[in-house]
Every structure is written in C-alpha cells, then in structure tokens.
Amino acid sequence: MGLVSALCVTQTIANEPYQASERAIRIAQENLLIDTHIDVPYRLNDDWEDVTVATERGDFDYPRAVAGGLNVPFMSIYIPAQLEQTPGASKQLAHQLIDGMEALAYRAPHKFALAASPDQVVQQQQRGVISIALGMENGSPIEGDLNNLYTFYNRGIRYITLAHSLSNHISDSSYDIRKQWGGLSPFGKTLVAEMNKLGVMVDISHVSDDAFWQVLEISKVPVIASHSSLRRYTPGFERNMSDEMIKGLADNGGIIMINFGSSFVTQQANRYRAMLKRKADAIIEQYGEESAEAKQALAEMEAKNPYPFATLDQVLDHIDHVVDLVGIDYVGIGSDYDGVGDSLPVGLKDVSTYPNLVEGLLQRNYSEADIKKILGQNFMRVWREVEEYAAKH
C-alpha cells in the first residue's frame, strides 16, 4: 500500500464541553425521538457486535440508545454503489441486512421490535421498546423490477434513498460527475410514482439536483432528505441541500433530517481530506513515495493538521437556518451515526448524546413544543401523510 492510500486522519478529540440539563434529559426521554439514518446493519455485517448490550465500538448500542432517549432508529439497509455491477448482488445484500435486523429484534424482544408504521412506533414507545424501522440507502436492489419494490415493502422498508455514491438505474448521484440520466431515469420516474402508491417514502439524500427537482414534480406526497445538511455552510458540496431546494422541499411538505457528520456541517471539515491529499502529494513529489523523508514529513504534516471536528453549536446552526428559512415544521434528525466514521462533532459523538442537542435548542430559546417537532413529530407527520395517500391509491 502506498503512502497516500495509507494516509489516515489524525483525530484529536477535545473534551466534551456539553452537559445536558435535567430538563433537556427529560425532554429527550419523555418524547418521541426519531433518527432517520443510523448505519448499524452494515456496521454489524462488516464487524459484528451484540448491540443489545454495551459495545466497545460504534456509535449505537441499546444502553446508549436508552440513555439518549432514542425511540426510533431508522436502520439503514446500505448497499454499496458498485454492487449494481454484479447482477443480484445488491438484492442479496439487502435481504441479508434486513435478516440481521429481524434477528436483532427476535433475540431481544424486551428491548427492540420492528416497526413498519407510525401506529406501531407509538404503541412500542408506550411499552418501552425501541422501534427498529428500515430505510434502504441506494435503490439498486430494486433492479428495475417493481416486484422487488413490493417485496422490500413487505419486509418493512419504509423509505428508499434513490441512489448513493454513483448513479444507478434509478437516478443520478450528487457525487457522480457523469449525470447519465439528467436526473431520474425513465424507470426512476415510474418508481417514484409507485412508491407513492405503495406507501414508501422517497428519500432525496444523495441524488443530483436535477433528480431532486424531478422527484418534486412527480411525487404526490411529501418527500424526505433522510440525512442531509445545508450547502450554505459547505459551498459547492452538492450532497447537501441549497436554500432553494429546502424551500422546494417545504413547499412539498417534506422534511430535511440534519446529518451530524463534520464534513456535512462545516466547510473546513468538508475540504479537509482534499487539503491533506494536496499536501501529501507535494511531499511525495519532493521526496519520493517510499522514502524515509516522505514518511517523516507526512507524519509531521498529519500532526500539524488535526481533523477539524464540527461542534454541536455548528449543527444547531443548520437547524436554525432551516427554521429561519421555511419554519419549524420541516426539520428533523438524520445523524448518520455509524455511517460517518470518526468524524462526528464534539458533543454529538454517539446515540447517548441527543440530550446535548436538546440542551442546545433550549439555550437557543426553542420551546418544548418546537423541540418535540424536531425530535419526531415533523417526521411522523410526513410518514402519516405518505401512508394516508397510499391507503387511497
């Protein structure tokens, strides 16, 4: 492995300066708290641990979820984009990851239960069980066949992120410069309409701007951005949403769920890896890739450029801006825990820290009624509207 590919991020994590008040803890514990994007299934597929008890690794386990007040983690059935190149591979992995979540609920029924509707979420909250809901991150397992959509709906999938890091047979990706479809593919347009009829939420995180606007033209129900933040704070980062897109989402009745990953939150973190690579390339060009001088210079460069973690306050800035732009009814939480590696902000390092977010909202003079909307009521409103439309169609 060359020095550039082996280069790792040096992370100096500051002492957590946030301390939630009893009031913040109470609000998190007593009210419905939904996080629409947690990558536990793929984490366990890659590195299994028993998350029904405290774990050494990762951002989620049962004790920490309870401590944070988390009621509904939408577990991401994440499918790597490159699997679409192998027929059947995406669908196979999706079923395996869903199997894992079913097994988790089966092994600890006093702690977890699967949830496929808002009513189930409420019932399970009342009996003190964490609801495992399912969202598919990357629609490649649909494989151009609506029968697969129906199969995954029957297995509990309640939202689909249309694409991921590469364009697929459904949609262009925000990360893919090819933009092969100019937005949605013909099948993608059919799929969005069918998802509306079936009751599967359309997730526009990861798709290109053109695909986003085409989804809004087609969808008869509110759509979601399950784990996105604001382009205002990360200029040029298409993966995040522009002010114009957020206004369009609100006009649609939809909701943006704020991603906690530092690279989604601040420009400095967003550009960190590119900056580090430029410095590393210059060092290697000067000394040669495998030289002792290059190794020493790279180590010194990393030590002098620690990863610029975002802060809880900067995450709150994203929430504030959505509220100022379109109102309190169109924002929620889509942390991307277990999906953004070690890049989480100071104050929001795992699922036990939602009370810190609540404390920050209180300090910014949000009412308890508004905080309840951000924690879960806004998303439940969208989910119910999607269900109600499907019941009629």
Side-chain angles (χ1 to χ4, degrees), residues 110-349:
H110 56 299
K111 296 180 178 180
F112 297 109
L114 295 171
S117 71
D119 286 344
Q120 281 185 316
V121 163
V122 172
Q123 293 163 5
Q124 288 164 185
Q125 180 195 17
Q126 291 172 347
R127 63 186 182 91
V129 175
I130 292 177
S131 291
I132 295 175
L134 301 177
M136 179 181 287
E137 185 178 21
N138 187 0
S140 63
I142 302 302
E143 295 186 338
D145 185 348
L146 292 179
N147 287 322
N148 288 326
L149 171 66
Y150 312 144
T151 296
F152 284 116
Y153 174 84
N154 289 333
R155 295 213 64 188
I157 294 294
R158 287 302 178 267
Y159 77 70
I160 296 176
T161 316
L162 299 181
H164 192 253
S165 57
L166 297 172
S167 299
N168 61 14
H169 72 283
I170 296 167
S171 174
D172 290 337
S173 164
S174 62
Y175 288 121
D176 195 334
I177 62 173
R178 295 174 300 170
K179 303 293 189 284
Q180 67 186 91
W181 300 112
L184 298 175
S185 71
F187 176 76
K189 294 174 182 178
T190 298
L191 180 66
V192 168
E194 198 66 23
M195 288 169 67
N196 283 181
K197 295 176 184 177
L198 190 57
V200 179
M201 288 172 278
V202 180
D203 177 20
I204 55 77
S205 289
H206 281 287
V207 304
S208 68
D209 286 10
D210 286 340
F212 166 80
W213 291 112
Q214 290 169 18
V215 166
L216 291 195
E217 289 177 5
I218 295 168
S219 183
K220 304 299 183 183
V221 297
V223 305
I224 67 169
S226 71
H227 59 307
S228 295
S229 295
L230 277 57
R231 209 175 293 176
R232 173 186 178 89
Y233 299 101
T234 56
F237 186 43
E238 188 178 344
R239 171 66 178 80
N240 275 348
M241 296 185 70
S242 68
D243 284 6
E244 184 181 8
M245 294 168 75
I246 293 165
K247 290 177 182 178
L249 187 70
D251 289 342
N252 160 266
I255 182 171
I256 177 172
M257 316 299 284
I258 299 299
N259 191 314
F260 293 172
S262 291
S263 64
F264 291 81
V265 174
T266 69
Q267 183 176 13
Q268 188 179 13
N270 186 263
R271 297 181 178 180
Y272 173 79
R273 293 181 188 277
M275 176 274 294
L276 215 63
K277 186 177 186 302
R278 287 195 300 271
K279 290 180 180 290
D281 288 346
I283 289 170
I284 289 169
E285 183 177 354
Q286 181 178 358
Y287 295 111
E289 183 168 359
E290 298 296 340
S291 68
E293 292 88 349
K295 292 179 181 179
Q296 181 179 349
L298 286 168
E300 292 174 356
M301 180 267 294
E302 287 191 66
K304 292 177 181 177
N305 295 276
Y307 187 76
F309 290 100
T311 65
L312 185 153
D313 284 303
Q314 289 170 317
V315 174
L316 291 169
D317 290 342
H318 286 249
I319 294 175
D320 280 352
H321 187 66
V322 176
V323 173
D324 291 343
L325 193 66
V326 295
I328 192 65
D329 296 322
Y330 307 101
V331 64
I333 298 170
S335 65
D336 217 347
Y337 281 134
D338 278 324
V340 289
D342 295 325
S343 74
L344 290 159
V346 178
L348 291 172
K349 291 297 185 184

